[in-house]
Amino acid sequence: MNNESNNESPIANLRRVGKLKLYCKRTLLLFVLLFLGFLSFLILDVLIPLPMEEFKERHFAQVVVDQSGQPLRSFADSKGVWRYPVALSEVSPNYIEALLSYEDRYFYQHFGVNPLAVIRALGQRISEGRFVSGASTLTMQVARILKPHDKTFTGKMAQMFRALQLEWHYSKEEILTFYLNYAPFGGPIEGVQAASYVYLGKPASQLSHSEAALLAVLPQAPSRYRPDRHKQMAQQARDKVLQRMLDHNTWSYQVVNEAREEPLWATYNARPMLAPLLTRRLSQRYAGEPVIHSTIDIQLQANLESLLKDHISGKSAQVSAAILVVKNEDMSTLAYLGSADYLSANRKGAVDMISAIRSPGSTLKPFIYGMAIDEGLIHSQSLLFDIPQSFSGYRPKNFTDDFSGPVSASQALVRSLNMPAVQVLDKLTPESFYVNLKNAGLDIRLPNRAKPNLSLALGGGGVSMEQLVGVFASLGNQGKAGRIRLAKNEPVDFSPLLSAGSAWIIQDALSKASLKSHINRRQLLKTPGIAFKTGTSYGFRDAWTLASNDKITIAVWVGQPDGSYLPDNSGRNSAVPLLNQVLAILPADLHQTVEQPFTVAEKTICWPLGLQLNLHNEGDCQQKKSAYLLEDLSPPTLTDPMNELFASEHKIMLLDVDTGLRVTPECAAGETKIAQKAVWPLVLENWLPNDLKRKNTLPAFHPSCLLTDTSNTLNITGIHDQAIIYPEVSADEVPDIELELHGSSGRSYWFLNGELLKQSGNEIVLKTLVPGSYELHVIDSSGKTAEISFAVNI
């Protein structure tokens, strides 16, 4: 047996050697074929490079999104295709799992072509006479998107070649990202991000399991499976994917079952249109950016657009309105409504009133008082003069054409009185006011290159709403003004405007509904704790309301974009009601008051001098006021010591020691002493209650002192009270009226219908009177007054 084994061993060995040689030849042949194939691929790859310029030519649609990524408005590419860029990390894992499990389970294992899938597909074609299942990988689908081909053998081979090229030049993640951005989803919609927004109204990062399954199958038949048109077929296709996920154990039974139960809901909104004027600005500002991340809160924006459209429907067809809501912390814009109706030609809805230059009306007054507090000119209860005045020829009037006489700074601000604001600005200087605002970001446009002047207090100049909001935010932001931010990538930029203390004092005053019972009509806002200021430009062209608290600043404007006259269009009548509606829908966390800074303290001050009450000046305290003082400073009343009419000071008197009555050196008979008494400015006498007039607060003269008029009263002669003046028979002009004053002590001041006349002394002439009613008042240095009324008739 051993001999037989030995005899057969050489033959067996030869057979083994022969098989080994054959195997080696075949292996070598295979390697040669593979090498030649690889070499051919490299050559073809050079000769027929990937047409990646095709992708480069497919520009993404530009989309402006809100702070959370929700689209506000889209601008299609040059071919009308909606395609939003998305990174792999920005797509829900649910969608990636559904896509790979349903379309290409071995995506990360194959080299672009799945040989087993190709063999299976060919076998089914031979046995069934038709293709039962496809063999395309995701890479091959990207190749087809890149370069569409005919459904022929040649076309399929070209597709496979392109797939191999893609795998050779790009990573799996890059290829998958190509698919995510360019896969067809029906009509002009390409890419999962666009599909998710258009059909489901959400970003691809928020897809549920059910939604992920739907979008995974949609590119197979975009027209047939469109969920907005063919809901039943889309649901069947979705359920097919869900079953595949269960069969492959990709998702659990519970997940798949819950996904099946989820109702299929879809819409078709390829072109959202929220904040159209803002998105237009951002599209122009960032023309090269496919995705622009705004700071808008989409829910608040949508609610306000609906509110504004309803509100304006009751107005004239030419009236528009604008609303701007800004977050104080970083000046990010939460809502931007540049017009009432973007699509309305009558309302000129395409005109952006947030960036337009308009007169601010009285909305700059808070900064006059705030700067004056910082400069140590006034405090919150400083005595100001709401009376007719002339400032170097500039004669402003109040909105209501009436005057209140003595008012506090806070009263004057809350009631938006013109005369006190101009009085304070005159002391502050218009140049300083203008420069401070400009440095804080408010570029006031002055007419005809004029220099800053006192008309700035009443809206003399032009501003934009966005810049106005930037400075008004300082009241809720510790005195810091800011440049509003429209996009997330824009820097946070603050500039000092007021101190934290003066900003709080102004904010506190404006947040109070009223300071006196006679102005209870000022109780306009339903939301307490928010500072607001109204404004009305000349001719009722612009109605403003601005409001600010610790969290937000809001601006509301109502008017006609062409700047034409609009009857009764005031901040109070037109803008405040709209502001109330805006405040009503704001989230509760945005309603927070500003905390009082430690630099502000509440103290008692005294009128008329305006100084803080103490043991030494209690006798001068004719009226006590509770004032907020900055750094414990209580500046005296703004007066003009060189002008007796406007002086608030201590009146120096010579008193008889025995009687306490006033005397003069000429009439003093006994021992005298010098005394002083705080007096109100003479110019306020006509508005003071009787107990505060000089004749009742200063000691009377001693009987032994003979005055010019022993009755100690003033009398006007030349015309009697209630007289009616007629033109002369031979002329149409009203004759001049010559008047003389008797009983005056010192200089006398005359007021005609509340306006101070340039003439003074005891004799004056009234010239160029026109028909109407007149009231003539006169006051002398001692505080004595007289008045008469007369009329001019034709």
Side-chain angles (χ1 to χ4, degrees):
M1 293 179 63
N2 290 336
N3 290 335
E4 289 179 1
S5 299
N6 291 334
N7 291 336
E8 293 176 358
S9 179
I11 297 172
N13 288 336
L14 288 173
R15 288 176 178 172
R16 292 192 187 95
V17 171
K19 289 181 180 180
L20 182 59
K21 289 181 179 180
L22 180 61
Y23 175 77
C24 290
K25 288 179 180 180
R26 290 177 176 175
T27 302
L28 180 60
L29 178 61
L30 179 60
F31 274 110
V32 170
L33 291 174
L34 289 175
F35 175 76
L36 291 175
F38 180 67
L39 183 62
S40 300
F41 169 76
L42 292 179
I43 295 172
L44 289 174
D45 183 55
V46 175
L47 297 176
I48 315 174
L50 276 168
M52 296 309 293
E53 65 277 0
E54 295 283 342
F55 276 138
K56 294 178 182 178
E57 291 177 359
R58 300 181 186 186
H59 299 292
F60 288 106
Q62 190 181 55
V63 58
V64 182
V65 300
D66 85 325
Q67 59 185 228
S68 64
Q70 295 276 7
L72 296 168
R73 186 180 182 186
S74 300
F75 302 87
D77 70 1
S78 58
K79 296 182 179 179
V81 175
W82 300 100
R83 187 188 303 113
Y84 306 160
V86 67
L88 183 59
S89 60
E90 296 172 333
V91 178
S92 168
N94 295 336
Y95 177 76
I96 301 299
E97 291 172 354
L99 176 66
L100 295 181
S101 183
Y102 186 74
E103 289 285 358
D104 195 349
R105 293 177 60 196
Y106 302 102
F107 174 72
Y108 285 101
Q109 285 75 44
H110 63 64
F111 48 86
V113 177
N114 188 339
L116 297 178
V118 173
I119 294 172
R120 184 188 68 243
L122 290 174
Q124 292 172 343
R125 176 69 176 85
I126 295 171
S127 62
E128 301 290 337
R130 63 184 179 87
F131 286 108
V132 176
S133 61
S136 293
T137 62
L138 278 179
T139 309
M140 292 173 64
Q141 293 183 46
V142 172
R144 185 172 66 244
I145 296 170
L146 177 64
K147 196 71 174 178
H149 61 82
D150 298 331
K151 293 184 178 181
T152 62
F153 177 78
T154 304
K156 201 68 174 178
M157 293 303 294
Q159 182 187 13
M160 290 182 181
F161 172 69
R162 292 302 188 190
L164 294 174
Q165 284 185 297
L166 285 169
E167 294 280 350
W168 178 253
H169 290 283
Y170 296 96
S171 67
K172 290 289 186 180
E173 287 72 19
E174 289 173 316
I175 294 171
L176 184 54
T177 301
F178 282 141
Y179 181 88
L180 297 177
N181 281 280
Y182 296 99
F185 281 86
I189 309 304
E190 291 187 3
V192 66
Q193 185 78 307
S196 185
Y197 278 131
V198 169
Y199 294 119
L200 304 173
K202 61 170 61 177
S205 60
Q206 299 177 10
L207 295 175
S208 67
H209 290 86
S210 173
E211 294 164 339
L214 172 65
L215 295 187
V217 73
L218 188 53
Q220 281 197 352
S223 299
R224 191 164 66 249
Y225 293 159
R226 270 187 58 168
D228 61 311
R229 292 182 177 178
H230 311 292
K231 181 177 179 179
Q232 185 174 358
M233 296 183 69
Q235 183 167 335
Q236 292 174 355
R238 178 203 68 176
D239 292 346
K240 181 181 178 181
V241 176
L242 291 174
Q243 185 59 45
R244 183 76 62 85
M245 302 302 290
L246 183 61
D247 294 342
H248 292 165
N249 294 319
T250 305
W251 292 343
S252 67
Y253 174 81
Q254 181 179 354
V255 169
V256 171
N257 191 49
E258 290 177 353
R260 281 199 186 103
E261 294 297 323
E262 185 177 319
L264 190 146
W265 177 91
T267 183
Y268 187 83
N269 185 20
R271 193 169 186 176
M273 184 66 77
L274 283 171
L277 291 170
L278 167 69
T279 53
R280 184 180 70 185
R281 283 186 66 179
L282 290 177
S283 176
Q284 295 169 351
R285 181 179 295 182
Y286 303 103
E289 296 291 331
V291 179
I292 303 171
H293 294 272
S294 77
T295 61
I296 293 294
D297 180 328
I298 193 170
Q299 190 60 56
L300 179 61
Q301 179 75 29
N303 290 342
L304 288 180
E305 287 190 11
S306 177
L307 179 155
L308 184 55
K309 188 169 288 189
D310 288 344
H311 177 85
I312 211 69
S313 63
K315 306 289 185 182
S316 166
Q318 286 74 41
V319 174
S320 188
I323 300 172
L324 184 61
V325 182
V326 173
K327 188 177 180 182
N328 290 343
E329 180 183 13
D330 58 3
M331 299 306 293
S332 56
T333 302
L334 301 180
Y336 186 111
L337 291 79
S339 68
D341 187 352
Y342 179 69
L343 300 178
S344 173
N346 287 335
R347 301 190 192 280
K348 295 179 174 58
V351 177
D352 188 353
M353 299 311 300
I354 289 177
S355 60
I357 303 300
R358 310 291 290 199
S359 167
S362 298
T363 58
L364 297 183
K365 288 178 181 175
F367 308 108
I368 296 175
Y369 295 102
M371 292 181 197
I373 291 173
D374 281 330
E375 291 293 324
L377 297 175
I378 62 171
H379 50 66
S380 69
Q381 292 296 317
S382 286
L383 173 63
L384 299 176
F385 306 157
D386 182 33
I387 60 173
Q389 297 184 62
S390 174
F391 300 88
S392 301
Y394 179 55
R395 295 175 175 267
K397 293 183 179 181
N398 281 331
F399 185 77
T400 57
D401 285 332
D402 57 3
F403 301 94
S404 301
V407 293
S408 71
S410 294
Q411 281 180 325
L413 174 58
V414 169
R415 296 171 59 188
S416 196
L417 300 175
N418 290 341
M419 304 305 297
V422 176
Q423 178 192 359
V424 176
L425 181 58
D426 185 49
K427 296 294 184 181
L428 185 66
T429 76
E431 294 81 6
S432 173
F433 180 65
Y434 175 85
V435 170
N436 287 341
L437 286 174
K438 188 175 182 65
N439 290 339
L442 185 65
D443 185 15
I444 304 176
R445 308 286 181 85
L446 300 176
N448 301 322
R449 298 182 180 180
K451 293 182 178 180
N453 54 64
L454 294 176
S455 70
L456 290 175
L458 312 183
V463 302
S464 68
M465 177 189 281
E466 60 184 289
Q467 290 187 355
L468 189 56
V469 166
V471 296
F472 205 86
S474 65
L475 301 184
N477 213 20
Q478 299 182 333
K480 296 178 295 182
R483 183 174 63 86
I484 71 168
R485 297 168 57 240
L486 305 179
K488 284 186 174 182
N489 64 324
E490 295 174 348
V492 178
D493 184 13
F494 286 109
S495 301
L497 177 59
L498 304 174
S499 69
S502 67
W504 185 87
I505 291 172
I506 299 301
Q507 195 274 345
D508 176 74
L510 290 175
S511 66
K512 293 177 178 177
S514 66
L515 298 177
K516 279 191 174 181
S517 59
H518 73 276
I519 54 171
N520 277 339
R521 64 181 186 275
R522 181 70 184 177
Q523 296 176 351
L524 299 169
L525 287 190
K526 301 174 184 176
T527 304
I530 190 166
F532 77 102
K533 181 69 185 74
T534 59
T536 307
S537 68
Y538 177 76
F540 299 99
R541 291 170 171 82
D542 306 278
W544 295 92
T545 299
L546 286 99
S548 185
N549 62 14
D550 185 55
K551 294 295 182 182
I552 56 169
T553 299
I554 307 168
V556 172
W557 171 90
V558 180
Q560 297 185 149
D562 62 2
S564 56
Y565 168 75
L566 188 60
D568 205 28
N569 182 47
S570 67
R572 178 177 299 172
N573 294 336
S574 300
V576 167
L578 182 53
L579 175 62
N580 266 322
Q581 295 181 57
V582 173
L583 291 170
I585 67 174
L586 289 179
D589 61 346
L590 296 181
H591 295 279
Q592 293 191 27
T593 57
V594 181
E595 184 177 351
Q596 180 176 338
F598 70 91
T599 55
V600 175
E602 190 171 11
K603 298 293 180 66
T604 300
I605 62 96
C606 296
W607 278 7
L609 299 183
L611 300 175
Q612 191 173 163
L613 176 65
N614 56 54
L615 295 175
H616 303 290
N617 65 5
E618 191 167 2
D620 293 330
C621 205
Q622 298 184 29
Q623 280 192 351
K624 295 179 180 180
K625 300 287 181 179
S626 181
Y628 286 112
L629 304 183
L630 180 62
E631 304 288 357
D632 205 34
L633 295 177
S634 54
T637 298
L638 285 178
T639 58
D640 184 357
M642 305 302 295
N643 187 338
E644 181 185 26
L645 190 63
F646 291 90
S648 177
E649 57 187 357
H650 282 104
K651 180 77 172 178
I652 306 299
M653 301 171 293
L654 189 64
L655 301 181
D656 180 78
V657 173
D658 294 331
T659 63
L661 298 177
R662 271 194 291 173
V663 295
T664 65
E666 293 78 13
C667 69
E671 184 179 357
T672 62
K673 64 178 180 181
I674 296 177
Q676 62 181 16
K677 178 73 173 181
V679 293
W680 296 74
L682 280 170
V683 75
L684 295 177
E685 280 285 307
N686 288 330
W687 287 273
L688 291 175
N690 283 329
D691 62 328
L692 294 181
K693 293 181 182 291
R694 290 196 181 193
K695 64 182 181 180
N696 294 321
T697 56
L698 297 179
F701 277 96
H702 195 282
S704 63
C705 295
L706 298 177
L707 301 178
T708 304
D709 183 357
T710 55
S711 65
N712 203 26
T713 60
L714 296 181
N715 291 298
I716 301 172
T717 61
I719 187 175
H720 62 82
D721 191 29
Q722 304 299 321
I724 300 178
I725 310 298
Y726 293 93
E728 296 179 357
V729 177
S730 59
D732 294 332
E733 295 182 358
V734 178
D736 295 342
I737 302 176
E738 298 180 359
L739 301 173
E740 186 174 353
L741 183 66
H742 301 278
S744 172
S745 301
R747 191 174 183 181
S748 300
Y749 303 92
W750 300 78
F751 297 85
L752 185 62
N753 284 351
E755 292 193 19
L756 177 66
L757 300 179
K758 293 182 179 180
Q759 303 177 68
S760 61
N762 294 334
E763 297 180 357
I764 67 168
V765 179
L766 302 180
K767 298 182 178 182
T768 63
L769 296 178
V770 297
S773 298
Y774 293 88
E775 290 186 359
L776 182 67
H777 297 262
V778 64
I779 184 170
D780 72 357
S781 299
S782 66
K784 293 181 293 183
T785 64
E787 60 184 75
I788 60 172
S789 299
F790 64 93
V792 174
N793 205 348
I794 294 179

